[in-house]
Amino acid sequence: MAEIGKTRLDSGWLAARSTDVQLSGTQLTTTHPPSGPTSPWMNAVVPGTVLATLVKNKVVPDPFYGMENETIIDIADSGRQNYTFWFFTTFQSKLSGNQHLDLNFRGINYSAEVYLNGHKRVLPKGMFRRHSLDVTDILHPDGQNLLAVLVHPPDHPGRIPPKGGQGGDHEIGKDVATQYVEGWDWIAPIRDRNTGIWDEVSISITGPVKVIDPHLVSSFFDNYKRVYLHATIELENKSSWVAQCSLNIQVSTELEGNICLVEHLVTQHVSIPAGSRVQYTFPQLFFYKPNLWWPNGMGKQSLYNVQITVDVKGYGKSDAWSHLFGFRKIESHVDSATGGRLFKVNGQPIFIRGGNWILSDGLLRLSKKRYKTDIKFHADMNLNMIRCWGGGLAERPEFYHYCDIYGLLVWQEFWITGDVDGRGEPKSNPNGPLDHDLFLLCARDTVKLLRNHPSLALWVGGNEQVPPDDINAALKKDLRLHPDFENPNEMSKPSEDLLPAFKDPSQYLDGTRVYIQGSMWDGFANGKGDFTDGPYEIQNPENFFKNDFYNYGFNPEVGSVGMPVADTIRATMPPEGWKIPLFRKVSGGYTEEVPNPIWEYHKYIPYSKPQKFVPDQIQLYGTPEDLDDFCLKAQLANYIQYRALLEGWTSHMWSKFTGVLIWKTQNPWTGLRGQFYDHLLDQTAGFYGCRCAAEPVHVQLNLATYFIEVVNTTSEELSNIAIEVSVWDLDGTCPYYKVFEKLSAPPKKTLPIVEMKYPKSKNPKPVYFLLLKLYHMSDYGILSRNFYWLHLSGGDYKLLEPYKSKKIPLKITSKVFIEGSTYEIEMHVQNTSKKADCRTLTYLNKFMARQGNGDFDMASVEPVHSGTDEKPEISILQRIYRCLTKENDGLRVAEVNGTDVGVAFFLQFSVHAVKKDPKKGEDTRILPVHYSDNYFSLVPGEAMPIKITFEVPPGVTPRVTLRGWNYHNRHTVL
């Protein structure tokens, strides 16, 4: 008997263009299967797309490099047949008794014909729908099965107008598919329009009864002390006899040391008629004071493992399903004070600071490993929400799994965008896709796929547009809230006392999350759908703090620059792309940037905006000499820009704003705008400006008023705290030092403390450094540290250019822990240019740990997938800090010599592979790397702990290097 469970078919696939294969699907899966990657067949990327397969096999160049995308024929010019492809694989499976096998496709774009052992099945259209085929009767008796899939592109791939534009000619909007694929102002067109088997393929083996789409819901009472877990499942009896079933639901949580505590184990009995489907709702399970799931920055992301099994009398175990589930309640309403949508989690208001997400990779080369990095990056930036934009994907369960793990709330949109569904040039079709029933089928199936994830916060009809009236009405009805979740005030009586007319909430399609019809409606932007998101350009940093910068309570999109580091430019462009922009003087004394054609193709956004009176933020430091100088100065601007953006919004927390989402945090292509990390997964300095500004407890300088402010987004009052304010000049002296003691900061509030008066003092320096530290007076534990470089009003930073020649000594102590291929390095970095100032006791920067900060190692946590699942390979909730099992590689000390006294400015670590004879310009970086901080500065005597975590490829020796404003060459420090 074959083992019950799911097996992914994610390797061993071949692919070939359909016009190059002169065989039918029946022949391919019977008498003439391909024997290997010999022409016209090639190794295929599954899950993935046709274009991903062509790139892997070097049939076409890399569309992410330089302007190579222009050399790849577009589907509009080649015809759909050019990207119509066969995919082929084999699998072993031999059933016995009353076992059944389903062949599952979690996503195909756009339609397909499936052949298994000579038998044909047709998969209907729609990118966002699952397909499950019972193929039990057509399996080979010997267990060797041949599978071929002919995949057809979207019906309306469209044509790219000469000027490009948002969504090309908008034809793609007639299909239920991703809309970004015709190009946008941040990505070039995807030539195959993402045709392919783009998501998971699997086979699942069950007994006579199969579990389908369980729905888990929690309801809360008595101020979250009492919780009920509701569960409804569908059961399908595939046999020809009545199945007498025992249904088991088990809820467990993991304690220390891989010990699981079973909180509930309940068995129910049900009879299922032959050949039928039934819906079954378990009796609700009661929990007293469960561990709650909290968003990033509010507490721990506690998760329970819910397992459902079905045993059939006379057969045994027939099917099983498991899922990580978080007890939490998400509410939202339009705030009367601000007009913005206000979110609450477990009764606590949460100030939203998040980012807009397109998708992980433009060619849909999606993986658990990359998803983990993507989501951890967002948690590392202290963000608490990700918006999945309507022109991209309904994101995958793996994406949601890591959002559950790291505490990122998710705003999930359906596949409507204003540019493609109602406006644009040429004007697009306002009636959405041609097949409204298909759109709703995909929407309902997506809800079932994702609804059990605690991170999923709300559904939104579309981006800057409302779905067509009939679709919108259907979504409002399908996603209506259960009465338990309608009342913003928590109910006080348990659900068994509710009126009988109230169905169990798990019987709803969702019923627990609000549905908003569009991204600028009902508490977002002006709430009426007018164009009140943005802007998307460089700003004077102080603008973000001004009352008139943005007039509405919640901005769903505000964006800016995103230049990566020079190594990324060299790795993704030929030498002609390494030329920096020309700086051209325009009226008013401002500068306009003229980028090279490759940068322009990669959607570069300039660091100046003369029309809005914004001087070039790179030239403030002096005209850059070369690519390295330009990118370094761009990182300075990135840091200031995004820190000011979030600090400006937070300065008006609850008084003017309820939240903001940055456009955008990541990049599915090698674009040059709006990103905190590039497609190669190297962070910009904006990443760390954001990380600083979005701390749950934060000290900041209001750049408009020059008042020092304390931000407390937590639910606890801060008492007996102090702020240390020190100004440092370019000579390494401290002309201004103040300590403000015995302060308190109420919860959920931004509090102005005192004006920073140094600029108004006698003979202030034109360029200076400001260091703010918020700490506990009892033990000098640092709650927040914030370092600024500033110039006087009307000035610039050009005095920093000669400051580069200062030689500031550093001492770097490192301890390395190694486990397998994972390195964890604990560093202690000290500016030794003079002894710490005796007036301060905080120079060692003893940072206070905060609960649920996401800094524990999650390498051992793997997603648990909906559907019939494999047994998890390891403990799915393991969060044990792994230093106990790591090999300690010893303590090492590196020193960077220097004789000058001053601030060690803008230090940046990077990790590289050691190579004996590296080629000139070769990219030796090891990516991704997680840093506790980077692009940081140290005043004289100050020390900083830095933690670095990364994985190394087999056979590679890593080295850690340091660069900075005063450190021009890469200094090897480990």
Side-chain angles (χ1 to χ4, degrees):
M1 180 180 291
E3 185 177 355
I4 298 293
K6 183 176 78 173
T7 302
R8 295 182 185 87
L9 305 182
D10 55 6
S11 62
W13 287 84
L14 301 172
R17 183 172 281 112
S18 62
T19 52
D20 294 336
V21 177
Q22 308 305 317
L23 298 168
S24 68
T26 301
Q27 291 173 307
L28 289 173
T29 57
T30 53
T31 56
H32 293 79
S35 57
T38 56
S39 183
W41 294 92
M42 64 192 88
N43 291 317
V45 179
V46 176
T49 63
V50 168
L51 191 53
T53 289
L54 295 174
V55 170
K56 177 181 178 179
N57 288 276
K58 295 183 169 50
V59 177
V60 299
D62 183 356
F64 288 25
Y65 184 84
M67 295 181 70
E68 297 291 358
N69 193 53
E70 289 296 286
T71 69
I72 303 173
I73 190 166
D74 192 80
I75 192 171
D77 300 313
S78 67
R80 292 173 69 246
Q81 71 280 357
N82 188 63
Y83 290 106
T84 301
F85 263 63
W86 281 105
F87 292 87
F88 177 88
T89 193
T90 65
F91 64 89
Q92 284 277 344
S93 187
K94 196 170 184 179
L95 306 181
S96 61
N98 286 300
Q99 289 190 318
H100 295 260
L101 186 142
D102 287 337
L103 175 60
N104 309 301
F105 296 89
R106 210 169 65 182
I108 283 189
N109 192 25
Y110 188 62
S111 61
E113 297 150 33
V114 176
Y115 293 84
L116 180 63
N117 302 330
H119 298 267
K120 179 181 178 181
R121 302 284 179 89
V122 175
L123 300 185
K125 299 173 183 177
M127 184 173 180
F128 301 108
R129 64 187 299 179
R130 294 170 294 170
H131 307 273
S132 186
L133 307 174
D134 188 336
V135 295
T136 306
D137 295 339
I138 58 176
L139 297 177
H140 267 164
D142 64 1
Q144 178 72 7
N145 298 283
L146 308 180
L147 172 63
V149 185
L150 181 63
V151 180
H152 300 277
D155 293 344
H156 302 89
R159 183 169 292 276
I160 314 303
K163 293 184 179 180
Q166 313 295 74
D169 66 358
H170 316 305
E171 283 290 294
I172 194 69
K174 294 180 178 179
D175 296 330
V176 184
T178 49
Q179 297 185 357
Y180 77 93
V181 289
E182 282 197 61
W184 224 267
D185 59 7
W186 42 267
I187 195 169
I190 304 297
R191 299 306 187 188
D192 70 343
R193 308 294 190 265
N194 283 158
T195 300
I197 306 174
W198 68 275
D199 200 7
E200 178 185 280
V201 185
S202 66
I203 55 172
S204 53
I205 297 172
T206 69
V209 175
K210 176 183 177 182
V211 175
I212 301 172
D213 290 331
H215 186 198
L216 307 176
V217 174
S218 53
S219 57
F220 296 85
F221 305 93
D222 294 343
N223 196 29
Y224 299 88
K225 291 178 183 176
R226 285 198 288 166
V227 178
Y228 293 88
L229 176 64
H230 309 263
T232 294
I233 63 175
E234 252 190 287
L235 296 164
E236 181 182 12
N237 182 1
K238 297 187 175 188
S239 72
S240 58
W241 35 272
V242 176
Q244 302 294 335
C245 300
S246 295
L247 304 180
N248 302 291
I249 183 168
Q250 175 180 298
V251 184
S252 59
T253 185
E254 185 174 284
L255 305 176
E256 291 293 329
N258 291 341
I259 299 172
C260 286
L261 172 66
V262 177
E263 302 237 2
H264 276 285
L265 178 58
V266 175
T267 300
Q268 297 289 302
H269 300 282
V270 63
S271 297
I272 307 176
S276 65
R277 280 194 184 194
V278 300
Q279 181 175 289
Y280 180 80
T281 300
F282 285 91
Q284 58 197 21
L285 304 180
F286 171 69
F287 295 77
Y288 183 66
K289 291 185 177 180
N291 297 320
L292 300 181
W293 183 93
W294 292 96
N296 188 34
M298 292 183 73
K300 291 184 177 181
Q301 291 75 53
S302 299
L303 293 167
Y304 290 75
N305 190 27
V306 179
Q307 296 176 298
I308 296 173
T309 58
V310 54
D311 291 87
V312 176
K313 187 176 181 180
Y315 176 83
K317 181 179 177 181
S318 182
D319 200 3
W321 178 92
S322 64
H323 203 283
L324 296 182
F325 184 74
F327 288 110
R328 62 97 184 96
K329 185 177 184 180
I330 295 177
E331 305 165 88
S332 73
H333 65 275
V334 179
D335 176 44
S336 59
T338 62
R341 183 157 288 272
L342 190 154
F343 289 85
K344 288 184 176 181
V345 179
N346 303 330
Q348 294 290 331
I350 175 172
F351 188 70
I352 298 297
R353 293 175 291 189
N356 283 269
W357 167 276
I358 312 302
L359 66 163
S360 185
D361 177 74
L363 301 189
L364 302 188
R365 293 167 294 196
L366 310 178
S367 70
K368 291 183 291 185
K369 187 174 182 179
R370 188 175 179 102
Y371 271 136
K372 178 186 174 183
T373 298
D374 277 316
I375 304 309
K376 189 175 189 308
F377 274 175
H378 284 74
D380 287 346
M381 286 188 282
N382 290 312
L383 300 179
N384 53 31
M385 179 176 277
I386 296 177
R387 173 191 172 211
C388 294
W389 176 74
L393 294 181
E395 265 301 351
R396 301 297 88 196
E398 292 80 6
F399 168 93
Y400 276 91
H401 169 79
Y402 288 114
C403 288
D404 295 344
I405 291 294
Y406 290 116
L408 276 299
L409 297 171
V410 184
W411 157 337
Q412 178 67 64
E413 288 181 2
F414 295 109
W415 318 285
I416 296 287
T417 60
D419 297 278
V420 178
D421 297 289
R423 65 172 195 265
E425 184 62 42
K427 189 171 177 62
S428 55
N429 172 27
N431 202 34
L434 296 180
D435 190 337
H436 288 197
D437 289 339
L438 173 60
F439 185 98
L440 288 169
L441 185 153
C442 290
R444 291 169 183 135
D445 196 53
T446 296
V447 172
K448 291 179 180 178
L449 178 67
L450 302 176
R451 63 191 177 185
N452 294 315
H453 289 278
S455 56
L456 178 56
L458 74 159
W459 303 103
V460 177
N463 166 61
E464 298 175 353
Q465 184 62 292
V466 173
D469 289 345
D470 58 329
I471 291 178
N472 197 34
L475 289 174
K476 286 181 179 178
K477 180 182 177 184
D478 287 347
L479 296 173
R480 67 194 185 280
L481 292 175
H482 184 275
D484 276 12
F485 300 91
E486 283 181 340
N487 190 343
N489 299 315
E490 186 193 354
M491 301 180 69
S492 59
K493 57 182 180 178
S495 54
E496 61 260 30
D497 297 334
L498 294 175
L499 294 174
F502 287 5
K503 289 197 295 185
D504 187 290
S506 65
Q507 294 175 14
Y508 278 53
L509 179 64
D510 187 338
T512 68
R513 300 171 179 89
V514 68
Y515 167 75
I516 306 297
Q517 57 187 341
S519 67
M520 299 195 297
W521 278 258
D522 305 317
F524 302 125
N526 76 340
K528 301 173 184 177
D530 297 327
F531 289 96
T532 52
D533 50 9
Y536 305 92
E537 58 207 11
I538 194 77
Q539 301 290 327
N540 290 313
E542 63 270 19
N543 288 358
F544 294 113
F545 294 84
K546 295 177 179 177
N547 278 322
D548 61 353
F549 180 72
Y550 187 72
N551 294 324
Y552 305 103
F554 194 119
N555 193 340
E557 295 183 14
V558 58
S560 191
V561 291
M563 190 66 187
V565 299
D567 283 347
T568 292
I569 296 296
R570 294 191 183 96
T572 57
M573 296 180 186
E576 54 266 33
W578 304 353
K579 297 176 181 177
I580 64 175
L582 299 174
F583 293 91
R584 185 168 61 194
K585 290 291 184 183
V586 295
S587 60
Y590 291 95
T591 299
E592 182 180 74
E593 293 180 19
V594 182
N596 70 61
I598 298 180
W599 284 26
E600 198 162 15
Y601 187 79
H602 283 256
K603 317 295 184 176
Y604 175 76
I605 183 171
Y607 282 73
S608 63
K609 195 70 177 179
Q611 306 91 317
K612 298 290 180 69
F613 311 108
V614 182
D616 194 285
Q617 300 296 293
I618 290 176
Q619 277 206 320
L620 287 180
Y621 301 89
T623 301
E625 299 176 355
D626 53 23
L627 180 65
D628 289 286
D629 193 27
F630 181 92
C631 290
L632 175 60
K633 289 171 178 173
Q635 299 318 310
L636 291 162
N638 290 345
Y639 194 106
I640 289 177
Q641 188 74 183
Y642 287 109
R643 178 177 60 182
L645 190 161
L646 284 180
E647 288 185 340
W649 245 270
T650 308
S651 182
H652 298 284
M653 179 173 66
W654 308 128
S655 62
K656 183 174 173 59
F657 300 130
T658 60
V660 61
L661 301 175
I662 296 173
W663 183 269
K664 51 190 179 33
T665 46
Q666 49 77 241
N667 208 332
W669 184 59
T670 48
L672 301 179
R673 62 164 61 199
Q675 58 185 344
F676 287 135
Y677 57 94
D678 59 45
H679 190 262
L680 304 181
L681 299 178
D682 199 359
Q683 302 99 329
T684 72
F687 183 106
Y688 297 96
C690 171
R691 181 183 176 101
C692 171
E695 294 172 309
V697 174
H698 182 59
V699 61
Q700 64 184 37
L701 179 69
N702 185 314
L703 296 179
T705 66
Y706 263 60
F707 263 74
I708 295 168
E709 300 171 337
V710 172
V711 178
N712 181 10
T713 66
T714 74
S715 56
E716 303 294 330
E717 181 177 10
L718 301 174
S719 58
N720 198 30
I721 55 175
I723 298 174
E724 178 185 275
V725 183
S726 58
V727 169
W728 299 82
D729 61 25
L730 299 184
D731 296 320
T733 62
C734 181
Y736 182 92
Y737 181 85
K738 298 283 185 182
V739 176
F740 303 93
E741 297 183 322
K742 298 180 180 178
L743 303 174
S744 62
K748 310 287 183 184
K749 193 171 178 64
T750 297
L751 191 68
I753 301 297
V754 67
E755 184 180 3
M756 203 282 287
K757 294 184 177 180
Y758 174 74
K760 297 178 180 179
S761 65
K762 187 177 180 180
N763 298 321
K765 297 297 177 69
V767 175
Y768 60 95
F769 302 112
L770 171 67
L771 179 59
L772 303 177
K773 292 186 181 181
L774 177 68
Y775 62 94
H776 282 301
M777 293 184 65
S778 59
D779 59 3
Y780 299 97
I782 302 291
L783 293 165
S784 174
R785 176 189 181 275
N786 202 348
F787 180 89
Y788 295 83
W789 51 103
L790 300 164
H791 60 71
L792 297 182
S793 179
D796 56 39
Y797 294 113
K798 289 178 182 174
L799 287 176
L800 284 174
E801 188 67 33
Y803 188 72
K804 282 183 178 178
S805 62
K806 288 262 189 179
K807 305 298 182 186
I808 313 296
L810 294 174
K811 182 178 180 180
I812 302 160
T813 305
S814 307
K815 182 175 283 190
V816 181
F817 301 94
I818 305 171
E819 183 181 47
S821 62
T822 300
Y823 280 64
E824 186 177 285
I825 303 172
E826 295 176 358
M827 286 190 165
H828 183 268
V829 187
Q830 186 164 16
N831 178 344
T832 57
S833 64
K834 73 171 185 179
K835 291 184 179 179
D837 196 302
C838 62
R839 293 176 295 181
T840 174
L841 296 176
T842 65
Y843 71 96
L844 287 176
N845 287 324
K846 184 182 74 173
F847 288 94
M848 302 300 292
R850 63 180 172 87
Q851 191 179 46
N853 64 358
D855 283 340
F856 48 77
D857 191 287
M858 293 300 297
S860 62
V861 179
E862 293 297 335
V864 176
H865 299 274
S866 300
T868 305
D869 273 318
E870 311 100 321
K871 184 179 179 181
E873 294 177 6
I874 42 89
S875 174
I876 55 180
L877 287 175
Q878 185 177 6
R879 298 189 178 194
I880 297 172
Y881 190 61
R882 298 190 300 161
C883 276
L884 295 175
T885 60
K886 291 173 184 171
E887 174 191 345
N888 185 341
D889 201 31
L891 197 67
R892 302 183 187 182
V893 178
E895 296 195 46
V896 180
N897 295 320
T899 57
D900 293 317
V901 175
V903 172
F905 184 48
F906 217 51
L907 303 173
Q908 183 217 353
F909 286 113
S910 56
V911 183
H912 297 260
V914 174
K915 296 203 171 183
K916 290 183 179 179
D917 299 305
K919 299 176 184 175
K920 187 177 181 181
E922 182 181 0
D923 188 10
T924 60
R925 286 174 297 173
I926 293 174
L927 296 170
V929 182
H930 297 277
Y931 303 91
S932 63
D933 203 357
N934 218 352
Y935 295 99
F936 62 98
S937 303
L938 296 174
V939 303
E942 190 183 20
M944 178 81 80
I946 299 291
K947 182 177 172 182
I948 304 176
T949 308
F950 56 92
E951 288 188 31
V952 296
V956 170
T957 301
R959 67 186 175 103
V960 179
T961 67
L962 175 73
R963 297 182 79 172
W965 192 256
N966 312 100
Y967 312 91
H968 314 143
N969 299 316
R970 282 201 174 101
H971 296 265
T972 298
V973 296
L974 186 65

